[in-house]
């Protein structure tokens, strides 16, 4: 993430925890997703499951981008197969009163506790995360998941002051959450802007870039690398980089070589295997992973998918990808196993 030399390319997968793992589904039967996130022992266990199984180089905290909203008592639930649904969406200035600051120590000490349990339970680093304001705002404004975020984009145009005020509150929540995660031991953080791809570059620059820049500036004193990821953000890469992260996440639509040319060598890249390739047979998935490695910059590449693991993915394919990326990028190929004594 810092662009320093590595022994082999590090690998982790967005959404590596969760529905593709039978051991998660067994635990998940016990309760709702957000309820699981409030239980540190369970959330830590789910965070560690994919690390043990796949041998990835980092854990991603098991939580959700709407966790801070849930923790302050803003009516939100995650409906299976649907996503986050908001009881009373944000429509006007007065609605902002309901969006109070997130105080992790008071509202959800279990967040930091989960990070501590994972940090102590694993030898690989823990990545913390938060939703970026545009994406979280889109849930609050639309009332739930939407394909094109039409209401949100209309609000940005018709009431830019409300938009800015809303984003400031969400930025404060994201920073508070990430500070708590890093203080508890997260070694890097990722901002997920899953729906920012629906914005034009001009709109992003005018009404999202300033808030992203301020968030990343406020994270700087924590001293950990910051990853910025926007699904479908190929047309936004320069603007994602302009906000000042250490790493830009690329989805599968933008070749890493093209991103390298556009962003230059000063910033690391994360990605970008098409998650659909993990639904194919091993020879196809392997060839696709090789394609990513061949296209990646020589320095400052974190292997990942271009978006989250699909629930129907065979976990065996993910494990094989980790082994393959490690073997292919090892500076010193692993020595043959020592002959057994005696
Ligand atoms: O392994 C990991 O990556 C850590 C866990 C994680 C979850 N959500 C758990 C989860 C992470 C990083 C998130 C982030 C998140 N949540 C994002 C950004 C990443 C992305 O995918 O773009 C977004 C947009 C959300 C909102 C959200 N939460 C959606 C769209 C859904 C899917 C709803 C569904 O069931 O199809 C969720 C639910 C969710 N969050 C699940 C998990 C494991 C699946 C539901 C479950 O197990 O009940």
């Amino acid at each position: 993430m810092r662009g320093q030399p590595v022994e082999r390319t590090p690998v982790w997968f967005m959404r590596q925890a969760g529905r593709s793992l039978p051991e998660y589904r067994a635990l998940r039967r016990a309760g709702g997703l957000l309820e699981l996130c409030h239980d540190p022992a369970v959330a830590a266990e789910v965070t560690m499951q994919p690390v043990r199984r796949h041998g990835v180089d980092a854990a991603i905290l098991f939580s959700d981008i709407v966790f801070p909203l849930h923790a302050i008592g803003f009516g939100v639930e995650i409906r299976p197969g649907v996503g986050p649904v908001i009881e009373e969406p944000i429509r006007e200035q007065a609605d902002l009163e309901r969006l109070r600051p997130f105080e992790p120590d008071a509202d959800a000490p279990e967040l930091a506790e989960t990070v501590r349990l994972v940090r102590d339970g694993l030898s690989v680093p823990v990545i913390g995360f938060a939703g970026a304001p545009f994406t979280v705002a889109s849930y609050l404004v639309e009332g739930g998941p939407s394909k094109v975020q039409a209401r949100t984009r209309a609000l940005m145009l018709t009431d830019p002051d409300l938009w800015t005020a809303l984003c400031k509150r969400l930025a404060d929540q994201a920073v508070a959450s990430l500070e708590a995660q890093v203080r508890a031991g997260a070694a890097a953080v990722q901002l997920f802007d899953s729906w920012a791809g629906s914005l034009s570059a001009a709109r992003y620059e005018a009404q999202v870039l300033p808030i992203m820049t301020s968030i990343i500036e406020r994270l700087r004193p924590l001293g950990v690398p910051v990853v910025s990821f926007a699904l479908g953000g190929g047309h936004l890469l320069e603007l994602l980089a302009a906000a000042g992260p250490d790493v830009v996440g690329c989805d599968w639509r933008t070749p890493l070589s093209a991103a390298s040319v556009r962003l230059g060598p000063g910033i690391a890249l994360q990605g970008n295997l098409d998650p659909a390739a993990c639904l194919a047979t091993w020879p196809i998935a392997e060839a696709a992973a090789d394609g990513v490695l061949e296209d990646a910059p020589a320095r400052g590449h974190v292997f990942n998918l271009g978006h989250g693991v699909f629930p129907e993915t065979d976990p065996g394919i993910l494990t094989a990808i980790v082994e393959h990326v490690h073997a292919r990028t090892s500076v010193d190929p692993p020595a043959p196993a020592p002959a057994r004594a005696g």
Side-chain angles (χ1 to χ4, degrees), residues 174-342:
V175 169
S177 174
L178 293 173
E179 282 171 349
Q181 294 172 50
V182 172
R183 277 199 302 264
V189 295
Q190 174 157 326
L191 291 161
F192 277 98
D193 214 348
S194 305
W195 313 131
S198 70
L199 292 168
S200 69
R203 198 57 30 224
Y204 186 96
E205 183 167 17
Q207 289 183 284
V208 176
L209 177 58
I211 202 80
M212 293 298 281
T213 305
S214 85
I215 291 175
I216 294 172
E217 262 168 23
R218 290 165 69 189
L219 297 176
R220 277 291 152 232
L222 299 174
V224 301
V226 177
V227 187
S228 182
F229 170 74
L231 177 66
H235 60 299
L236 304 174
L237 287 189
E238 288 83 355
L239 296 170
L240 294 185
D246 303 272
V247 187
V248 167
C250 295
D251 82 6
W252 65 95
R253 285 165 276 211
T254 306
L256 293 178
S257 54
S260 287
V261 169
R262 284 165 59 190
L263 302 183
I267 192 158
L269 298 179
Q270 179 173 284
N272 70 345
L273 180 65
D274 184 346
C278 303
L279 301 178
T281 57
W282 171 242
I284 292 172
E286 181 185 36
D290 280 340
V292 170
L293 291 173
E294 282 153 22
D295 201 39
R299 275 239 187 137
H301 176 224
V302 177
F303 191 100
N304 203 315
L305 305 183
H307 193 210
V309 172
F310 289 122
E312 58 272 39
T313 306
D314 168 3
I317 294 275
L318 298 177
T319 308
I321 288 171
V322 176
E323 286 167 1
H324 182 70
V325 171
H326 283 164
R328 260 211 57 171
T329 61
S330 285
V331 177
D332 295 314
R340 244 184 250 159

Side-chain angles (χ1 to χ4, degrees), residues 9-80:
T9 298
V11 192
W12 68 280
F13 301 117
M14 291 189 274
R15 296 284 186 100
Q16 65 192 15
R19 292 173 300 175
S20 69
L21 298 186
E23 56 269 38
Y24 167 75
R25 289 197 295 263
L27 264 178
R28 174 70 176 75
R29 256 181 252 128
L33 177 96
L34 288 166
E35 285 65 38
L36 286 192
C37 299
H38 286 285
D39 182 335
V42 178
E45 172 58 22
V46 177
T47 304
M48 295 190 284
Q49 283 173 347
V51 180
R52 292 192 205 111
R53 182 192 265 264
H54 301 309
V56 283
D57 296 292
I60 172 103
L61 174 70
F62 187 79
S63 186
D64 196 86
I65 58 169
V66 297
F67 179 83
L69 297 175
H70 191 253
I72 65 166
F74 198 97
V76 55
E77 60 164 317
I78 295 184
R79 295 213 187 122

Side-chain angles (χ1 to χ4, degrees), residues 144-205:
S146 84
K147 286 218 173 71
V148 291
Q149 292 80 42
R151 224 182 231 275
T152 313
R153 290 188 287 127
L155 177 97
M156 292 167 81
L157 296 170
T158 54
D159 198 342
D161 292 341
L162 173 56
W163 175 253
T164 303
L166 172 58
C167 284
K168 283 203 169 127
R169 285 182 192 234
L170 294 175
D172 288 347
Q173 290 197 348
V175 169
S177 174
L178 293 173
E179 282 171 349
Q181 294 172 50
V182 172
R183 277 199 302 264
V189 295
Q190 174 157 326
L191 291 161
F192 277 98
D193 214 348
S194 305
W195 313 131
S198 70
L199 292 168
S200 69
R203 198 57 30 224
Y204 186 96
E205 183 167 17

Side-chain angles (χ1 to χ4, degrees), residues 73-159:
F74 198 97
V76 55
E77 60 164 317
I78 295 184
R79 295 213 187 122
V82 177
V85 175
I86 305 295
E87 229 166 77
E88 282 184 69
I90 296 218
R91 294 284 145 79
E92 55 187 42
Q93 198 78 32
D95 292 325
L96 289 185
E97 298 309 312
R98 293 185 282 125
L99 195 60
R100 68 162 176 86
F102 173 46
E103 292 164 14
D105 293 343
D107 293 323
E110 57 275 23
L111 176 68
E113 181 57 20
T114 304
V115 176
R116 276 191 290 272
L117 289 173
V118 176
R119 183 202 57 193
D120 294 345
L122 292 175
S123 57
V124 299
V126 194
I127 300 173
F129 75 91
F134 177 82
T135 292
V136 180
S138 78
Y139 285 108
L140 289 172
V141 173
E142 309 286 336
S146 84
K147 286 218 173 71
V148 291
Q149 292 80 42
R151 224 182 231 275
T152 313
R153 290 188 287 127
L155 177 97
M156 292 167 81
L157 296 170
T158 54
D159 198 342

